Amino acid sequence: MTSEFDVIVVGGGAAGIGAARRLADSSASCLLLEASQRLGGRAYTQDLGGYPLDFGCEWLHSGDRNAWVGIAEASGFPVNRGDPPWTKAHPSLDVDKDDQEAAWRAYGDWEERLRTVASGSDRASDALEQGGAWNGYVRAIAGFMSGAAPEDISATDYLAYDDASTGKNWHLPLGYGTLVAASLPSSATVRLATPAERIDLTGDGVEVTTRAGTIRAKAAVLTVSTAVLAGDAIRLPRGIDPWREAAAALPLGRNEKIFLEIERETAFGPDSHAYGNLEDPRSAAYSIRPNGWPVIEAFLGGEGARILDEEGPADGFAFVTAQLAALFGSDVASAIRPLAATSWSRIASIGGAYSCALPSRSQARSRLAQPFENRLFFAGEATHPFDFTTAHGAHDSGQRAADEALAALRDSHVLDRRDPPFAA
């Protein structure tokens, strides 16, 4: 497999597909290399029992400015603009309203204190109320958002995402992963199950070595996760250490999902939500009967996701079943059965959920986004200044990196042979 392309895109997730779409719009020849046997990366929809379940990203966050909304509508994918389930508590739950409001207030107060912490230690845990009764709840929500404990979260980084969010969270009934995987342009050449093993700079471009051979191109866009980039799975050119160090400052957090099937009629109301235990930092958030399906999705972040990652799916199923029984009564345990569980941290080609800047390292995002020798360009959710952790941030970063690659090739007159010239 020795051939020449204008640009090689390494990684077939949302960022890689975003880059390939931009390159296709400009008529550049593009080869996309994906290490796994499927497209989508951390966007992955699996059909289980006729239900398209999103194992990875699921919500069109900031939907009113999310590029995937336009892509979906242009492709005929329905978009549900209704309120997400976490805005609709399950009707049969007898929750303590005072406790719930106190927990929400504690989280809001913590976010406000983050602004002071951001100008000091930048360690999000320093904004926790000492001995606060609802610190467990704050830790759980921080885990959902960042996949990490507050001790490992940059307050500046956390606020950058929060301040930029529009609060519009829309849904794709056919699955986010379905959309992302279907959005690769037909003009792009794809090689699945072909991990890049080495990237070298040549006199006039780049060489990417795989088990199937070496491919040459004028430039490359690297969209792999920070876990992969900071590791040694891909040998990169000499001088790349600052980029690896930036990736290491943006480690992937832990976020996992457990799906349970409802096997008989119960009191579970459709399209509703429940929260496990306001005082337990490991608690899951439960989406109950989404789209009316007989399914419960348990979302675990940070400390909760560690149960799956370190103890395995059986312990994860036991944990969420116990929480559901505490919420809805012991008889629900006999009404549900395990359906599936994710394991993002154990996938070698990904290595976790989404990036979280370590305290005082939020600037690593802009550092990681810088081109290397004007021939190697970096994309991925971790490189976005404020839409990190999202598929639309990944997509937009891929478009940005593709634009940088095209501009570099134009400046070097590599693309002058095109007639008509590449679009601006």
Side-chain angles (χ1 to χ4, degrees):
M1 189 172 65
T2 301
S3 56
E4 185 170 297
F5 295 84
D6 290 317
V7 181
I8 295 172
V9 177
V10 180
I17 289 174
R21 289 174 64 87
R22 180 72 94 210
L23 295 168
D25 288 343
S26 297
S27 303
S29 61
C30 167
L31 170 67
L32 188 147
L33 296 177
E34 166 55 38
S36 73
Q37 296 182 340
R38 62 171 182 83
L39 292 172
R42 285 166 279 180
Y44 178 35
T45 305
Q46 187 165 353
D47 190 300
L48 293 178
Y51 318 123
L53 304 177
D54 274 316
F55 280 31
C57 58
E58 183 173 359
W59 296 95
L60 293 158
H61 298 303
S62 296
D64 48 347
R65 61 174 182 81
N66 186 316
W68 290 109
V69 173
I71 296 169
E73 292 176 333
S75 306
F77 279 75
V79 176
N80 182 349
R81 288 174 166 79
D83 291 332
W86 58 83
T87 66
K88 299 173 283 188
H90 194 283
S92 74
L93 278 181
D94 183 19
V95 297
D96 187 316
K97 297 295 185 183
D98 290 340
D99 280 356
Q100 191 173 68
E101 289 176 5
W104 289 344
R105 189 164 54 251
Y107 176 75
D109 291 345
W110 174 73
E111 279 198 311
E112 283 303 311
R113 290 192 294 269
L114 284 178
R115 301 191 183 279
T116 299
V117 168
S119 62
S121 70
D122 199 41
R123 191 177 302 277
S125 58
D126 290 349
L128 290 169
E129 180 185 1
Q130 188 170 2
W134 303 109
N135 282 350
Y137 179 79
V138 175
R139 286 181 174 278
I141 301 302
F144 296 153
M145 298 289 289
S146 300
E151 286 78 5
D152 298 321
I153 297 173
S154 159
T156 301
D157 201 57
Y158 196 94
L159 291 169
Y161 175 90
D162 210 43
D163 290 344
S165 172
T166 69
K168 301 294 185 182
N169 298 288
W170 299 340
H171 189 246
L172 292 159
L174 299 181
Y176 213 147
T178 304
L179 172 65
V180 172
S183 299
L184 184 72
S186 58
S187 60
T189 303
V190 183
R191 297 285 185 270
L192 298 178
T194 309
E197 297 179 338
R198 178 172 181 154
I199 300 176
D200 293 295
L201 301 187
T202 64
D204 60 353
V206 298
E207 284 185 347
V208 179
T209 301
T210 74
R211 285 174 291 185
T214 299
I215 314 102
R216 296 180 178 85
K218 305 298 187 296
V221 174
L222 190 56
T223 76
V224 298
S225 74
T226 56
V228 172
L229 188 58
D232 57 5
I234 304 175
R235 294 182 62 187
L236 294 172
R238 186 186 302 274
I240 207 76
D241 283 352
W243 281 259
R244 288 194 185 276
E245 291 166 4
L250 302 165
L252 299 190
R254 297 172 186 259
N255 293 89
E256 304 290 358
K257 294 181 182 180
I258 292 174
F259 297 92
L260 304 119
E261 185 173 25
I262 303 170
E263 293 192 294
R264 60 175 171 79
E265 286 297 319
T266 64
F268 289 127
D271 292 300
S272 56
H273 184 263
Y275 185 81
N277 182 334
L278 292 172
E279 298 179 3
D280 189 345
R282 303 171 301 162
S283 280
Y286 298 93
S287 177
I288 299 172
R289 293 181 60 195
N291 303 303
W293 301 330
V295 170
I296 297 174
E297 175 191 305
F299 180 56
L300 296 144
E303 295 179 44
R306 293 176 71 94
I307 299 171
L308 267 177
D309 292 344
E310 297 179 359
E311 301 175 31
D315 284 348
F317 286 125
F319 176 78
V320 299
T321 299
Q323 283 207 325
L324 289 168
L327 289 170
F328 295 101
S330 58
D331 61 327
V332 305
S334 63
I336 55 179
R337 73 173 184 88
L339 190 60
T342 64
S343 56
W344 292 105
S345 295
R346 299 187 183 189
I347 299 175
S349 61
I350 296 176
Y354 28 70
S355 64
C356 175
L358 295 173
S360 301
R361 298 303 305 274
S362 61
Q363 73 280 3
R365 297 196 185 278
S366 60
R367 183 69 187 87
L368 184 59
Q370 296 301 308
F372 178 74
E373 299 291 338
N374 235 21
R375 278 177 284 174
L376 185 57
F377 302 85
F378 294 84
E381 53 86 14
T383 68
H384 200 286
F386 49 82
D387 282 336
F388 44 84
T389 78
T390 68
H392 67 274
H395 168 276
D396 293 354
S397 75
Q399 302 246 298
R400 181 261 309 153
D403 285 340
E404 292 171 348
L406 290 169
L409 298 186
R410 288 192 198 96
D411 289 346
S412 64
H413 308 294
V414 169
L415 300 179
D416 287 354
R417 68 183 187 275
R418 300 286 184 182
D419 185 22
F422 278 54

